[in-house]
Amino acid sequence: MSMPVFDGKYSYANAGAFGSRYGKLEAQIETTEFVELARVFTIDTNRVRAFFELPLQLIFWSATIGNVKLLGRHAVGVHPEDDSRDEDDDVDRSILDTYKRLVTNPNPDKVLAFSSNVLGSMVGDDNGVTIDAACQGVEASFAAMIMSAYATFETLSADLWIAAVNKHVSLAQNWSKQNPNKQFNMDELYSRGGDISKSSGTALHQTRKVTFESLKEIRAAYSQAFKSELDHAFEAVPYIAAAEKFRHLFAHRGGLIDRKFRDEMDRFEESKEMVIGERLRLTGDVTGTIVAACVECGVELLTGVDNWSKARL
């Protein structure tokens, strides 16, 4: 991850550099109970990518439509920049014919290259004119991507743990041994029919004996139930810890750096130049890295739990 302290360049294109490995999950996951979770995770991650794609698509298609109008006017002898006759039947028909002839699904690389350059010129990446509204829009897109990506990871973590524990009662037994003060009482058991062997995960979550409201709680739940066998899923993606802190900073403080955030980020070398009281201005490099951590950790968890489950069938 590049230094999160804003250095004058947004480098928007790098925000989308979080790979496509997640797109193969639904076909790779074999445990029936987890396939739907993989599908939802993919849909939600694609929604994160849509935050990145939308400004690029708007820029590309705005330029494309503008070019179509120029060519359509020229084809019927009207000056390309004269829009006064656009509603005339012959001009309108020429523009429409030009649109049908030229507009197709563009190459994604072409859209990225063209639109990111245009956007870069709008936000001052090329040391040109800086449009404040464009800068604010870019920063809002980055923050939305990070908050949505972490929420997607957090939701998957909870739903996957619950589904796994519902399927394998041994996981509930493992967790129970580590949490002797959180056992079910008779009323809780009777209210669920007396047998929770196939719904232990749901019961533990509904009674709030297990919660997933922080990364610490998520890691503890998996470590206790799986006897640390899936700890690697978190350890392989160290920036998942930064993702949680970034999400909270933007969700609760609008990106303003406080002492708590600064101290919690101290383990990351890139945070050394953060200044308390200043607004954290995201870059494409930082956003791409944080989103990638959320996506990769989710992929690692899904494949890890699926492999663990298959080995015990």
Side-chain angles (χ1 to χ4, degrees):
M1 181 170 71
S2 299
M3 181 67 67
V5 175
F6 185 72
D7 64 359
K9 291 186 181 298
Y10 285 99
S11 302
Y12 189 88
N14 295 337
F18 51 91
S20 58
R21 181 185 171 200
Y22 70 91
K24 302 175 182 178
L25 276 175
E26 189 176 355
Q28 293 175 339
I29 299 301
E30 297 181 27
T31 307
T32 303
E33 291 84 348
F34 308 152
V35 172
E36 183 69 9
L37 298 180
R39 181 169 181 266
V40 171
F41 180 71
T42 300
I43 291 172
D44 286 343
T45 303
N46 282 336
R47 200 166 283 130
V48 175
R49 186 174 292 282
F51 280 121
F52 168 74
E53 289 281 355
L54 181 58
L56 302 178
Q57 293 291 337
L58 289 175
I59 290 171
F60 181 84
W61 285 107
S62 177
T64 298
I65 298 304
N67 190 45
V68 164
K69 288 185 175 181
L70 294 177
L71 293 172
R73 293 169 189 150
H74 178 71
V76 291
V78 177
H79 191 282
E81 295 182 3
D82 180 7
D83 62 0
S84 65
R85 293 181 53 193
D86 283 0
E87 294 185 6
D88 291 357
D89 289 343
D90 59 333
V91 178
D92 182 62
R93 186 164 49 252
S94 180
I95 291 174
L96 181 59
D97 289 343
T98 304
Y99 177 88
K100 291 178 179 178
R101 186 176 73 254
L102 297 181
V103 174
T104 58
N105 287 324
N107 183 304
D109 292 336
K110 180 180 179 181
V111 174
L112 178 61
F114 173 81
S115 299
S116 60
N117 284 336
V118 173
L119 188 55
S121 68
M122 295 169 66
V123 297
D125 278 9
D126 60 359
N127 298 316
V129 177
T130 298
I131 301 173
D132 289 340
C135 294
Q136 293 173 17
V138 164
E139 292 184 38
S141 292
F142 288 162
M145 288 175 67
I146 287 175
M147 290 189 287
S148 183
Y150 188 77
T152 295
F153 160 75
E154 189 177 62
T155 299
L156 170 69
S157 301
D159 292 347
L160 181 61
W161 191 92
I162 292 168
V165 176
N166 282 347
K167 182 175 180 63
H168 300 278
V169 70
S170 62
L171 294 175
Q173 294 170 336
N174 293 340
W175 180 90
S176 181
K177 291 175 183 178
Q178 297 294 316
N179 296 275
N181 297 324
K182 295 184 178 181
Q183 306 301 307
F184 288 105
N185 59 45
M186 296 304 291
D187 285 341
E188 290 171 327
L189 286 175
Y190 287 144
S191 68
R192 289 171 171 77
D195 180 8
I196 59 171
S197 61
K198 298 185 184 301
S199 59
S200 296
T202 299
L204 287 168
H205 186 238
Q206 287 180 342
T207 56
R208 295 190 60 80
K209 298 180 189 301
V210 178
T211 55
F212 305 89
E213 296 171 0
S214 70
L215 184 61
K216 181 179 179 180
E217 291 180 348
I218 291 170
R219 294 194 62 166
Y222 276 89
S223 184
Q224 292 166 359
F226 289 91
K227 293 185 174 180
S228 300
E229 291 183 51
L230 295 182
D231 286 0
H232 65 84
F234 301 96
E235 294 165 354
V237 191
Y239 280 110
I240 191 62
E244 179 189 35
K245 308 311 177 188
F246 272 60
R247 182 269 172 194
H248 292 342
L249 185 72
F250 281 94
H252 300 290
R253 288 191 50 78
L256 290 176
I257 300 169
D258 59 6
R259 169 64 65 183
K260 181 174 183 290
F261 177 78
R262 179 66 178 77
D263 291 345
E264 290 175 339
M265 287 293 295
D266 193 57
R267 59 177 284 200
F268 298 100
E269 184 64 30
E270 299 90 343
S271 70
K272 301 301 183 184
E273 294 185 18
M274 289 181 178
V275 178
I276 295 172
E278 288 191 358
R279 180 167 58 89
L280 180 59
R281 298 181 68 179
L282 296 167
T283 66
D285 294 302
V286 173
T287 302
T289 298
I290 295 298
V291 172
C294 298
V295 175
E296 286 303 308
C297 202
V299 171
E300 290 294 322
L301 272 183
L302 259 171
T303 54
V305 172
D306 185 51
N307 289 335
W308 186 96
S309 183
K310 288 188 296 183
R312 285 154 181 81
L313 295 179

